[in-house]
Amino acid sequence: MKLGVNIDHIAVLRQARQVNDPDILNAMYIAVSAGADQITIHLREDRRHIDDIDTQNIINLCPIPVNLECATAITDIVVDLRPHRATLVPEKREELTTEGGLNLNSPKLVSSINAMNRANIDVSLFIDPNLDDIKATKHLGVNTIELHTGSFANAYLMAYSNISKTKFSIKSIENQDAKELLKIEFNRLKTAAKFAKNLGLKVAAGHGLNYQNVGLIAGISEIFELNIGQSIIARSVFTGLNQAIKDMKRLINEA
Ligand code: PXP
């Protein structure tokens, strides 16, 4: 199974200070040398993390495929940038991250898919794991989908962590049996992946996957690729913090 590493989160940190540190291109090269199969980035309409120049640089310099997540509103920009793949996602300015799958009835979707196909960009649609959406995807002439794993990830957190005791508790499922919900969400993903693969679609998945829950999803053989960001970048802070402090102490002590 392939791993697309979403490096936007590096740019989130950079934007907090408006300096080029951490450098998104360094993140790209480290991800490549660590064995990532793909670099995934999300150019949001409000450019809250990566911007057009980052995106252009990553597409030009990346030695492995670049999967650019984007809303239909920036189709013209994506056509000019020509990434290996564009994953169309819904986007609301007020949301912290992509909260649900695409509305496949959106009139803009067809023209966006056609424009990208004409530019030889492989198009994928980020959809909720339901069979009607998968059938609709097939009718739209797209051959790759990414299943939204957010509901599964939320159920996993509520079932197997103490998140419900914190301010990060997932309010929408607080009153449900989280373990039961997890089973339902997992089965939805598994059924959806199987159904889509049988229709001839390539099936990716992503959102909210982390070191605890990834094993279940990676066990679904119909899925060929996972796109993961937040948990990898969050973990790298802790796997790297020890060395970063030692490097600074050494410089201070050697001065
Ligand atoms: N796939 C898609 C389509 C996304 O929108 C995101 C979030 O940008 C991801 C994967 C990665 O999600 P996370 O950062 O939660 O791992």
Side-chain angles (χ1 to χ4, degrees), residues 2 30 45 80 84 101 108 123 164 197-199 218 234 242:
K2 292 185 184 295
I30 289 170
E45 265 187 276
D80 283 346
H84 172 80
K108 285 193 196 143
V123 179
S164 63
K197 176 100 192 276
N198 281 339
L199 284 182
N242 185 292

Side-chain angles (χ1 to χ4, degrees), residues 38 59 64-68 81-86 120-123 202:
Q38 168 172 274
I59 290 170
I64 59 175
V66 174
N67 171 28
L68 178 57
L81 288 166
R82 286 182 196 251
H84 172 80
R85 188 195 302 156
N120 281 328
I121 300 167
D122 181 20
V123 179
K202 287 171 73 185

Side-chain angles (χ1 to χ4, degrees), residues 50-197:
I50 63 161
D51 61 21
D52 302 58
I53 294 172
D54 297 324
T55 308
Q56 181 80 73
N57 286 339
I58 290 168
I59 290 170
N60 290 348
L61 296 171
C62 191
I64 59 175
V66 174
N67 171 28
L68 178 57
E69 299 167 355
C70 56
T72 52
I74 62 161
T75 298
D76 291 349
I77 294 172
V78 175
V79 164
D80 283 346
L81 288 166
R82 286 182 196 251
H84 172 80
R85 188 195 302 156
T87 298
L88 287 163
V89 300
E91 209 174 282
K92 293 190 214 112
R93 283 197 179 222
E94 67 278 12
E95 71 189 358
L96 291 178
T97 182
T98 316
E99 280 164 7
L102 275 170
N103 168 7
L104 298 180
N105 296 318
S106 153
K108 285 193 196 143
L109 204 53
V110 174
S111 58
S112 185
I113 292 168
N114 290 342
M116 290 181 188
N117 281 339
R118 278 197 300 276
N120 281 328
I121 300 167
D122 181 20
V123 179
S124 175
L125 304 181
F126 190 43
I127 61 170
D128 288 320
N130 75 60
L131 306 191
D132 284 343
D133 280 2
I134 293 169
K135 279 187 227 152
T137 300
K138 190 73 187 162
H139 291 307
L140 286 165
V142 166
N143 55 27
T144 308
I145 55 169
E146 179 168 337
L147 296 175
H148 198 310
T149 51
S151 300
F152 157 83
N154 283 346
Y156 196 105
L157 277 176
M158 292 294 269
Y160 291 110
S161 76
N162 64 355
I163 197 171
S164 63
K165 311 269 187 293
T166 74
K167 65 178 177 184
F168 302 110
S169 178
I170 295 145
K171 303 278 181 284
S172 55
I173 55 174
E174 247 172 10
N175 298 321
Q176 298 184 47
D177 177 343
K179 289 194 177 153
E180 200 43 46
L181 188 60
L182 178 61
K183 273 193 213 148
I184 293 168
E185 293 298 346
F186 177 70
N187 284 329
R188 276 179 76 201
L189 284 162
K190 207 175 155 144
T191 307
K194 216 174 241 168
F195 183 74
K197 176 100 192 276

Side-chain angles (χ1 to χ4, degrees), residues 223-237:
I223 296 176
F224 84 104
E225 170 194 286
L226 301 178
N227 288 296
I228 307 181
Q230 170 81 23
S231 64
I232 293 177
I233 304 304
R235 189 183 184 96
S236 73
V237 171

